[in-house]
Amino acid sequence: YINNPGTKLSELIGSVIESIGQEQFKKYLWNQVLETIKNTTKYKERLLEFIQVSQIQMFPKKDPFSTENEANHKLFLDAFINQINDKSKRKEFNIVLKQTALEIIAEKNDGDSVIADYFYNIISEDFGISKTWETVITGSGKYLDNKIVKLLNAIINIIREQGFERFYLLVDEFEDITSGRLTKKEIDNYSHNLRALIDKERRWCLLLAMTSEALQDLKKVSPPLVDRLTDREIKIERLSNTQANLIVKNYLSLSRETETDSINPFTEEAINFINSESGELPRILLRKIHYLIERAVDELNEGDSITKAFAEKHLSKD
């Protein structure tokens, strides 16, 4: 779930990774890299050279590829670093491991060095390179905007390797794209790249949420994009007062000890007013209902009702 489409598509992809979780996605990347190293002789031997050179050690040499070091990448890295006594050798090891990681990630993505560099930036902290998470997820890498389709496919490949089968991407507040926050050039670039993303082979479900007005504005900007977006269209109608009362009753019932059709402590007039103040939108209605219940707990006596007057008083401050 992405609650902000960003100002360019690469930011949206960064938000996908952020939604998965920085540490979680880093773990997925390391799993991919370490599994390849373990099963590829040239990579394995390249790293083992650093602990096979003769050096005075107090303890017997340990195998970094033993099962006890498979739990996470930090155990694996420590198993090497702790056996390399020379500071310059440790630095050299980090360089070789970085080159190996970049090589593996690139191989997994048709030799694409841009994608490899993007993913490397996510795990770079483990190589002693400090990059803020914001820098990574903003998608500011050079040439990245031309690689959006490949990048999203690469992310999905990594996730699928962890055992996940389906990938759903819900982007909310898409009306931000046409609300005036972006320049005409930025909107054109965004819509062009999004159209390319939809046209190319994809193995995910993409759902964009926006207002009807935003959809009409988008039609003026990019009719071909709207044609693709509205191939399947879900229209969420505004709530009638009857529906609003039913929703409130159902949500209140979830917390009641006995089943009832009552909307108490709300009056019907209050719910109708709150629905109107919410623009007849379900999520805003429920947010305001919750807010008024909190106020009622603090201010009303037991048995009192949440009336239209009470709602008017507090929603004017909301």
Side-chain angles (χ1 to χ4, degrees):
Y1 171 76
I2 310 299
N3 65 0
N4 186 336
T7 59
K8 54 184 179 178
L9 215 54
S10 51
E11 289 182 9
L12 177 63
I13 303 302
S15 296
V16 170
I17 297 177
E18 187 177 28
S19 182
I20 295 168
Q22 177 187 5
E23 290 303 318
Q24 191 66 37
F25 193 73
K26 184 193 287 189
K27 177 183 174 183
Y28 292 163
L29 278 171
W30 270 116
N31 285 348
Q32 187 182 73
V33 170
L34 296 185
E35 189 66 24
T36 305
I37 291 174
K38 189 170 70 173
N39 295 314
T40 308
T41 303
K42 69 172 181 177
Y43 295 140
K44 198 171 181 178
E45 291 179 348
R46 184 187 295 175
L47 298 180
L48 284 174
E49 284 182 6
F50 285 90
I51 58 174
Q52 286 173 346
V53 294
S54 61
Q55 51 183 313
I56 299 174
Q57 293 180 315
M58 294 178 62
F59 303 101
K61 201 160 46 184
K62 295 182 179 179
D63 181 10
F65 295 97
S66 63
T67 53
E68 65 189 53
N69 296 321
E70 290 180 355
N72 62 64
H73 66 276
K74 291 181 180 177
L75 288 174
F76 172 82
L77 294 176
D78 287 345
F80 271 102
I81 295 298
N82 292 339
Q83 297 186 82
I84 304 174
N85 298 326
D86 186 89
K87 190 175 180 180
S88 63
K89 281 290 182 183
R90 286 187 178 187
K91 186 175 181 180
E92 186 182 343
F93 170 78
N94 272 339
I95 292 171
V96 171
L97 181 58
K98 171 191 171 180
Q99 292 170 341
T100 302
L102 281 168
E103 195 174 322
I104 290 170
I105 298 171
E107 283 179 357
K108 293 279 186 180
N109 295 283
D110 301 321
D112 197 310
S113 59
V114 175
I115 302 293
D117 189 59
Y118 181 84
F119 284 151
Y120 168 73
N121 284 337
I122 294 174
I123 61 174
S124 62
E125 184 182 356
D126 295 313
F127 294 92
I129 299 171
S130 178
K131 282 183 179 285
T132 65
W133 181 236
E134 184 181 358
T135 300
V136 175
I137 65 169
T138 51
S140 55
K142 194 176 182 183
Y143 308 123
L144 191 60
D145 277 329
N146 298 323
K147 304 281 185 176
I148 295 303
V149 177
K150 288 191 70 174
L151 181 56
L152 188 53
N153 273 323
I155 292 170
I156 292 170
N157 284 338
I158 291 168
I159 291 173
R160 281 188 165 178
E161 286 182 6
Q162 310 309 309
F164 298 98
E165 295 181 359
R166 293 178 176 84
F167 191 90
Y168 301 90
L169 181 58
L170 169 60
V171 184
D172 204 356
E173 308 289 349
F174 201 75
E175 57 266 22
D176 284 0
I177 298 299
T178 59
S179 65
R181 189 162 60 91
L182 275 63
T183 65
K184 184 180 183 304
K185 183 179 179 181
E186 287 174 331
I187 294 174
D188 288 343
N189 287 338
Y190 198 112
S191 58
H192 173 77
N193 287 333
L194 182 57
R195 198 175 90 192
L197 184 66
I198 294 171
D199 285 346
K200 296 286 178 69
E201 175 208 359
R202 70 178 190 271
R203 297 160 294 155
W204 62 88
C205 172
L206 176 63
L207 182 62
L208 304 177
M210 70 187 84
T211 63
S212 299
E213 292 79 7
L215 183 61
Q216 294 306 314
D217 289 340
L218 200 57
K219 280 182 180 178
K220 299 172 186 175
V221 175
S222 179
L225 173 61
V226 172
D227 286 343
R228 289 158 177 79
L229 294 180
T230 54
D231 177 50
R232 294 185 182 180
E233 190 173 351
I234 303 170
K235 289 187 177 181
I236 301 176
E237 302 294 341
R238 302 280 176 166
L239 286 176
S240 67
N241 285 337
T242 300
Q243 290 171 322
N245 276 268
L246 181 61
I247 285 177
V248 173
K249 184 201 77 172
N250 289 341
Y251 268 85
L252 290 173
S253 294
L254 294 174
S255 299
R256 298 193 195 278
E257 293 182 358
T258 56
E259 193 172 330
T260 174
D261 286 336
S262 173
I263 56 171
N264 185 58
F266 292 91
T267 66
E268 184 175 343
E269 185 184 29
I271 293 176
N272 293 346
F273 170 74
I274 300 164
N275 187 38
S276 175
E277 289 294 298
S278 304
E280 300 170 339
L281 297 172
R283 63 174 177 168
I284 299 177
L285 169 75
L286 291 173
R287 188 171 67 204
K288 291 184 183 296
I289 288 290
H290 183 266
Y291 170 73
L292 289 171
I293 289 175
E294 288 183 326
R295 299 284 69 75
V297 169
D298 292 336
E299 300 176 24
L300 297 181
N301 297 318
E302 186 174 348
D304 287 349
S305 296
I306 298 176
T307 62
K308 178 183 176 183
F310 185 86
E312 284 179 326
K313 172 187 171 184
H314 288 282
L315 294 184
S316 64
K317 305 173 186 176
D318 186 19

